[in-house]
Amino acid sequence: MGESTMKRKLKHRHLQLISLGGVIGSGYFLGTGYVLEQAGPAAVISYLLGGIIVLAVMLCLAELAVEQPLSGSFVVYARENISATWACGVGWSYWMTWVSYVPSEMIAAGIIMNTFLPEVGTIWWAVFFGLMVTLLNLFRVDKFGESEFWLALVKIIALVAFSGVAFLICLGLIGNEGCIGTRILLGSGGFAPHGWGSIVLTMVIILVNFQGTEIIGLAAGETADPARSIPTAVRNVTWRIIALYIIPITLLVSILPWDHASLSKSVFAAALAEHGFSHLGALFSFVVLTAALSCSNSGLYGAARTVHALATMGMAPRALGGLSCKGIPSRAIYASIAFCWGVIALYAVHPDAALYTYLLALSGFSGAVAWISICWSQYRRRRRLEAAGMVSLLRYRMPFFPYVPLFGIWAQVLCLLFMVFTPELRSALYLGVPMLVVPMLLYRFLRRRDSV
């Protein structure tokens, strides 16, 4: 299938930071405003539940990826452990999401640059960043890994710095309001101003903010030592979720009244401005810019590896399965970025702020489907190995089987069902479900026609 010709150039540190590249995108810095609007301070519980789901998915992925470190991994795992038809639907749904969501990150980067240099239009900045991300992905994979390493590092440093400043504000050591304590956290209607049900209704957007962790599975086929790097990345998921999500969000809702949050600007910059640190807003604009570039970078990487895997399995045009002399799926990259530019053109013709939330929800749907597929594949694979008495051959075994994969599957199924009860997210199902089902039907039809 071509995996043997891919260059295993990604280093251990590259893989660790790539797993963060797709996670901390502009959706985290901007989309968190939507979560706070809907759930208030109880958003902390939403992120905690999301983190537990992510950990379950990553444990399942680690067992599969260490046993079979392949590019386009979870699509291959779905074909081998569930069905080829399901793999086709999941793969195309996942690809469609990234090539739709990556342009929104480019647009977000363009909006930020337009505030600094208004004489250059947002769309032109978006096209510029699209070219930059394309070039980064067309370099050797180790160069991609190096760029993602530094882009992700900027975001981590920014979140750690924000946490430090916010903690000092809470204690009253800096800022202009003295010791805050829990006054803001429990004010304006309490910890859950819209009721505890709002926690569940925001879970789809929460899963979007965590989406991207699965990219380490897609990168397994290009990693020098997957048996060491992948389990380490999974073990680090827990502290990363706590350090980069739970702590910053808890401190955020402790210094920013939840009803001051919105989707129009970074809530982190708004929180600092609330306490007299408005000059740090420009710094966070730069961080959101870095986040958008990093998420676009890793998102295009994931999209290209996915469609390359589909092509090698006969589920996409064979031409997209070719590799360049550098061992990268250049044709899949070109096809993916071309679609991204098409979406950017659509934004230019019909700019709509609501489209950003729509894309977040759509990304949450197909991302959850991909994660369900990972847990389902691991569950069926382990059952098969148990029946053959071969579990002991696994180099990495996920703990607490079968409870972890079953929790990962049903928790996400419930999250998707709750989309029906959220009007602004429900419309994403109208495109998300066909994106999953239509490729499956086409694959079944074409395969049946070829067999006649």
Side-chain angles (χ1 to χ4, degrees):
M1 293 189 299
E3 281 81 359
S4 60
T5 60
M6 283 199 172
K7 311 298 182 184
R8 293 187 177 272
K9 294 288 187 179
L10 289 177
K11 300 177 182 177
H12 180 72
R13 63 184 177 88
H14 292 159
L15 193 68
Q16 308 310 307
L17 273 295
I18 285 173
S19 66
L20 285 175
V23 178
I24 311 175
S26 65
Y28 177 43
F29 293 102
L30 299 176
T32 297
Y34 170 84
V35 178
L36 293 182
E37 282 182 316
Q38 301 301 313
V44 175
I45 306 299
S46 301
Y47 275 102
L48 184 60
L49 290 174
I52 294 172
I53 292 174
V54 171
L55 183 59
V57 174
M58 291 295 288
L59 287 170
C60 293
L61 180 59
E63 181 173 300
L64 292 166
V66 170
E67 183 187 10
Q68 292 181 294
L70 304 171
S71 180
S73 59
F74 66 83
V75 180
V76 180
Y77 305 148
R79 184 192 64 171
E80 293 183 354
N81 299 292
I82 303 174
S83 74
T85 302
W86 173 259
C88 183
V90 170
W92 277 111
S93 174
Y94 185 78
W95 180 80
M96 284 291 294
T97 295
W98 273 121
V99 296
S100 300
Y101 185 64
V102 165
S104 73
E105 295 285 349
M106 297 175 185
I107 293 290
I111 292 171
I112 294 166
M113 288 303 299
N114 183 251
T115 60
F116 292 117
L117 297 170
E119 59 272 14
V120 181
T122 298
I123 295 301
W124 293 111
W125 282 117
V127 171
F128 170 75
F129 290 126
L131 290 170
M132 182 185 298
V133 169
T134 303
L135 291 174
L136 287 173
N137 272 266
L138 289 173
F139 286 138
R140 292 201 320 262
V141 71
D142 56 328
K143 301 301 181 186
F144 160 81
E146 197 67 26
S147 66
E148 192 59 27
F149 176 86
W150 292 107
L151 287 171
L153 196 59
V154 170
K155 296 182 287 189
I156 294 170
I157 293 172
L159 286 173
V160 171
F162 171 83
S163 298
V165 172
F167 183 66
L168 294 176
I169 292 174
C170 285
L171 295 179
L173 298 178
I174 58 176
N176 48 23
E177 294 195 24
C179 183
I180 295 175
T182 59
R183 174 163 46 89
I184 293 178
L185 180 67
L186 300 179
S188 301
F191 187 72
H194 298 307
W196 296 100
S198 62
I199 294 175
V200 182
L201 295 178
T202 59
M203 285 305 299
V204 172
I205 299 299
I206 296 294
L207 293 180
V208 173
N209 286 346
F210 282 119
Q211 190 176 337
T213 50
E214 76 284 344
I215 288 177
I216 67 168
L218 296 171
E222 297 170 273
T223 303
D225 187 6
R228 168 176 170 259
S229 298
I230 293 173
T232 301
V234 171
R235 285 193 296 268
N236 289 340
V237 163
T238 303
W239 73 259
R240 285 172 179 170
I241 289 170
I242 294 172
L244 301 178
Y245 277 90
I246 307 304
I247 292 176
I249 294 296
T250 302
L251 291 168
L252 174 67
V253 295
S254 296
I255 67 172
L256 177 70
W258 67 268
D259 50 0
H260 291 193
S262 71
L263 191 61
S264 61
K265 60 180 178 179
S266 169
V267 287
F268 294 91
L272 294 173
E274 191 94 3
H275 297 275
F277 296 97
S278 56
H279 58 283
L280 293 178
L283 176 61
F284 259 88
S285 293
F286 172 74
V287 173
V288 176
L289 173 64
T290 305
L293 288 175
S294 175
C295 190
S296 298
N297 202 28
S298 57
L300 181 58
Y301 176 92
R305 269 59 184 180
T306 300
V307 77
H308 174 264
L310 289 169
T312 57
M313 292 187 293
M315 300 174 184
R318 291 285 184 185
L320 298 178
L323 296 173
S324 71
C325 59
K326 298 176 183 177
I328 60 172
S330 55
R331 294 175 185 173
I333 294 172
Y334 286 131
S336 299
I337 198 64
F339 196 95
C340 290
W341 286 335
V343 177
I344 290 175
L346 181 63
Y347 286 169
V349 176
H350 299 288
D352 187 352
L355 198 55
Y356 188 78
T357 302
Y358 181 81
L359 282 173
L360 288 179
L362 182 60
S363 181
F365 173 82
S366 61
V369 169
W371 285 5
I372 289 170
S373 181
I374 290 170
C375 295
W376 191 6
S377 296
Q378 188 275 337
Y379 178 82
R380 298 194 67 172
R381 176 66 177 168
R382 177 72 81 88
R383 287 300 193 200
R384 192 176 301 165
L385 291 175
E386 285 179 343
M390 300 172 62
V391 176
S392 59
L393 299 179
L394 291 173
R395 288 182 290 175
Y396 176 82
R397 269 184 283 179
M398 183 200 67
F400 306 114
F401 180 85
Y403 306 108
V404 171
L406 290 177
F407 167 78
I409 292 169
W410 291 110
Q412 293 178 91
V413 168
L414 287 175
C415 289
L416 295 180
L417 289 176
F418 275 108
M419 287 181 71
V420 178
F421 303 102
T422 311
E424 60 265 40
L425 302 182
R426 188 187 305 134
S427 57
L429 293 174
Y430 303 149
L431 184 58
V433 173
M435 278 169 47
L436 174 67
V437 174
V438 170
M440 295 169 65
L441 295 176
L442 286 174
Y443 177 75
R444 292 283 293 184
F445 171 75
L446 293 174
R447 191 170 65 169
R448 185 176 302 168
R449 188 191 65 179
D450 292 341
S451 63
V452 174

